[in-house]
Amino acid sequence: MSQSQKTFQLAPDLRICRILNGMWQVAGGHGHINTESAIQEMFSYHDSGLTTWDMADIYGPAEEYIGQFRRRLSKQKGETELALVQALTKFVPNPGPMTRSIVEYYIDKSIHKMNVKTIDVVQFHWWDYNDTSYLDALHHLSKLRDEGKIRHVGLTNFDTERIKIMVEQGFKLISNQVQYSMVDQRPAIKMTPFCEKNDIKLLSYGTLLGGFLAEKYLGREEPTRAQLDTLSLQKYKNMIDAWGGWNLFQELLVVLDTIAKKHSVSIANVATRYILDKPAVAGVIIGVRLSIAEHKSDNARVFSLQLDKEDQEKIKSITSRSENLFERIGDCGDEYR
């Protein structure tokens, strides 16, 4: 596979792997994780070329894990190897006044935990649009970027309307992290056209619906709430219900299984490739359950997969019969507000 298929130039000074290792699952609700085993597993992801990590200040020990991993990597393989790691985190403050000292305190905390001098991308999330202090936070984040503590400022789960306000106020934003999957295609409505026009890239999560887009659920009866044993499965089952329900989802899995077999890949590969091919999408974040389950070799097949017109039409024949989630939920991130 060519390197250009695997990576994306997110900025002149930042190239990322198009499959990012998502660390939400170490935050709890996805099974007990052993720290030592988790850090060993991070080496194995790194060695397989999956070198980009996505985390947040609210994801439990995620930032400490990357810090420990970076220390060991530097010691074992040197600074050249360490330079191959990209670490993206999030700044998720509680709404309220956003002074320089508050913002800098939390960014310094992340820098210390992650064992970096400069954070590659800080992706800012804000819970309450009625509190416009998010603009103050962005102002301080931009200053910290100009001073070298942050390389780039991005966003998480902001809608198009709010990003338009930011861009009009002169903020330079590199990316917005949003939920984007075959089931949830809301970003295509307003977000993608705006981002393309303003050179903002999308990093997508929820692309595999927390594991639902897999052979495991093909032909399976609708799971009960008690059977959904991770926070991800509980969250994305609600999305499937809103989208069109379990029967329509089974029809989608049948089609995806046919496409997967045709290309000798997995359903998850097809679902990932489908979103990677969307305009403005720089990368897809796939959750890693460090030391519990791993899908490195399966994920790598995405890079050599090409979906043809027939595949796209088969997928559309199902998704076109679903509910309009943009009308039901709203723009990207509106489910959190």
Side-chain angles (χ1 to χ4, degrees):
M1 86 193 67
S2 76
Q3 192 62 14
S4 61
Q5 283 179 303
K6 279 189 73 172
T7 60
F8 188 93
Q9 199 75 38
L10 195 58
D13 62 346
L14 183 62
R15 195 166 187 88
I16 62 167
C17 182
R18 293 202 76 196
I19 291 181
L20 296 88
N21 306 313
M23 296 186 78
W24 178 47
Q25 301 192 5
V26 306
H30 292 86
H32 173 72
I33 290 177
N34 175 282
T35 301
E36 184 55 38
S37 305
I39 291 160
Q40 287 302 324
E41 189 71 18
M42 290 174 79
F43 272 90
S44 125
Y45 275 87
H46 177 83
D47 292 342
S48 66
L50 298 167
T51 57
T52 308
W53 299 86
D54 176 77
M55 68 211 80
D57 54 0
I58 58 167
Y59 290 0
E63 292 182 337
E64 279 110 330
Y65 281 7
I66 201 84
Q68 288 188 53
F69 166 66
R70 284 175 49 81
R71 273 185 205 95
R72 290 194 201 180
L73 186 66
S74 173
K75 200 173 173 183
Q76 291 175 25
K77 300 191 177 183
E79 291 299 309
T80 309
E81 194 69 23
L82 186 61
L84 300 176
V85 179
Q86 305 86 46
L88 289 60
T89 195
K90 299 179 192 74
F91 172 45
V92 189
N94 292 319
M98 284 287 120
T99 62
R100 159 85 184 212
S101 60
I102 289 172
V103 175
E104 190 165 24
Y105 169 80
Y106 285 105
I107 297 306
D108 283 345
K109 207 169 164 185
S110 291
I111 285 171
H112 176 70
K113 285 181 180 178
M114 293 166 68
N115 184 35
V116 294
K117 291 188 177 73
T118 303
I119 300 173
D120 289 325
V121 186
V122 170
Q123 304 164 96
F124 173 50
H125 175 90
W126 190 252
W127 297 105
D128 181 11
Y129 291 149
N130 292 321
D131 182 347
T132 57
S133 301
Y134 68 85
L135 293 168
D136 297 328
L138 265 179
H139 172 74
H140 300 309
L141 288 170
S142 301
K143 287 279 186 195
L144 292 171
R145 178 196 61 210
D146 297 344
E147 292 164 17
K149 288 193 174 185
I150 297 168
R151 190 161 282 127
H152 298 285
V153 176
L155 304 169
T156 299
N157 288 318
F158 271 96
D159 66 4
T160 315
E161 187 185 334
R162 251 49 59 162
I163 302 180
K164 188 168 183 287
I165 291 168
M166 297 170 192
V167 168
E168 285 170 353
Q169 293 204 15
F171 290 112
K172 175 61 184 150
L173 305 164
I174 195 173
S175 58
N176 187 26
Q177 189 173 138
V178 293
Q179 186 169 293
Y180 204 172
S181 68
M182 286 180 179
V183 163
D184 183 4
Q185 298 194 40
R186 290 175 297 153
I189 311 297
K190 284 173 74 176
M191 183 65 65
T192 298
F194 181 82
C195 285
E196 284 197 293
K197 191 177 165 188
N198 292 280
D199 196 25
I200 297 169
K201 301 303 176 197
L202 297 179
L203 298 172
S204 87
Y205 68 88
T207 304
L208 302 181
L209 298 176
F212 274 119
L213 281 168
E215 285 75 8
K216 179 182 176 182
Y217 287 95
L218 177 65
R220 193 169 143 184
E221 283 188 17
E222 185 167 6
T224 62
R225 287 281 147 189
Q227 290 170 317
L228 304 176
D229 60 356
T230 71
L231 292 177
S232 291
L233 290 174
Q234 292 159 21
K235 173 182 177 177
Y236 292 111
K237 176 59 167 62
N238 292 338
M239 199 55 64
I240 290 167
D241 293 344
W243 172 77
W246 193 251
N247 290 339
L248 187 62
F249 184 65
Q250 282 299 316
E251 288 187 53
L252 178 62
L253 285 179
V254 168
V255 161
L256 295 182
D257 188 49
T258 306
I259 295 168
K261 286 190 167 103
K262 168 181 153 184
H263 295 284
S264 302
V265 295
S266 67
I267 287 175
N269 293 156
V270 176
T272 304
R273 183 79 255 172
Y274 181 81
I275 297 301
L276 280 175
D277 289 342
K278 293 292 182 186
V281 172
V284 165
I285 297 151
I286 297 181
V288 290
R289 295 178 73 185
L290 295 170
S291 79
I292 295 177
E294 67 87 10
H295 308 283
K296 290 184 295 291
S297 52
D298 183 58
N299 291 345
R301 288 202 288 266
V302 168
F303 298 122
S304 53
L305 170 62
Q306 285 188 308
L307 298 177
D308 58 34
K309 196 178 173 191
E310 182 191 18
D311 300 331
Q312 298 282 356
E313 283 170 0
K314 279 183 178 172
I315 293 164
K316 195 175 179 183
S317 73
I318 307 297
T319 58
S320 62
R321 290 162 45 210
S322 69
E323 295 290 326
N324 186 325
L325 288 183
F326 192 91
E327 287 177 5
R328 289 193 73 163
I329 300 172
D331 199 2
C332 301
D334 283 1
E335 63 271 30
Y336 297 105
R337 298 176 177 90

